[in-house]
Each structure stands twice: as structure tokens, then as C-alpha cells.
Amino acid sequence: VQLQASGGGLVQAGDSLRLSCAASGRTFSGYAMGWFRQAPGKEREFVAIITSRSVTTYADAVKGRFTISRDNTKNTVYLQINSLKSEDTAVYYCAAKIVSGNHLYTADQSYDYWGQGTQVTVSS
């Protein structure tokens, strides 16, 4: 499985972005897909997950501003980010876990495959 993240950029506080993560493989619908981020000098942290059955959960820091979604016809998962804050500045990674069901995997070591990351920089 190969994951290609895109959509990052330099934006101003309050702006919106939509990150995309395109996955290879014919069984994308059976993957749980997660987004993580890593800010400079910090450990990678969980952001959001969408299960194969489209159940979602979010980190507390992003609830109400971030929305994860998936389009199985395009083998793509999205992360809509609204009301960006300077503390959202990070490299954002998508990850795939080859599992179906509704378990919500929030630990990065649970995931099987990772994309290369896309940089989001928010200026205040």
C-alpha cells in the first residue's frame, strides 16, 4: 500500500485547508485511515481516524475544526481543516491500517502504512 498526502501549504490563521491522501490498493474500503501530525520539536500526535465503516473520532485539540472523510471510489481520505491556528503548524501524515470494523485506532504504532507527510504552516 502506498499513500500520497497532499494539500498542505502556507496559510494565515483563520484560513481553511483540505488535505488529501490517495492510497493504492484495491481494498481501500477495508482500511482504517488516520491522520497524525508532528510539530517541530514535538512527538507525532494523533489527529483523526475514519474506520472502514466511516466511524470517526478526533483529538480534543481539533474537535469542531477538523473533519475527516473518505471517498472509497477514489481511494482517498480527506482532512478538512477550518479556523487554522498557529499551533496547527506541523507536518501532517496519513496512515492506513489494514482492518475492517469500527475500532478507533489512535496510537501511531497501530498503523501499517504511512504517507510521506505534507507541511502545513499557519502564520498569525
Side-chain angles (χ1 to χ4, degrees), residues 29-51:
S29 61
Y31 305 166
M33 298 298 297
W35 284 98
F36 290 76
R37 67 185 181 184
Q38 188 167 21
K42 295 187 177 181
E43 293 187 352
R44 187 164 57 190
E45 64 177 1
F46 167 76
V47 173
I49 178 180
I50 185 165
T51 70

Side-chain angles (χ1 to χ4, degrees), residues 35-37 45-49 57-68 79-85 87-90 92:
W35 284 98
F36 290 76
R37 67 185 181 184
E45 64 177 1
F46 167 76
V47 173
I49 178 180
T57 198
Y58 300 88
D60 288 344
V62 307
K63 281 181 181 176
R65 298 189 298 120
F66 288 26
T67 303
I68 188 170
L79 187 68
Q80 177 69 40
I81 309 175
N82 297 328
S83 303
L84 276 154
K85 304 177 181 180
E87 52 262 44
D88 295 321
T89 294
Y92 284 72

Side-chain angles (χ1 to χ4, degrees), residues 8-31:
L10 174 61
V11 297
Q12 294 187 334
D15 285 351
S16 297
L17 274 178
R18 188 175 79 158
L19 307 183
S20 300
C21 176
S24 65
R26 291 177 290 180
T27 56
F28 174 79
S29 61
Y31 305 166

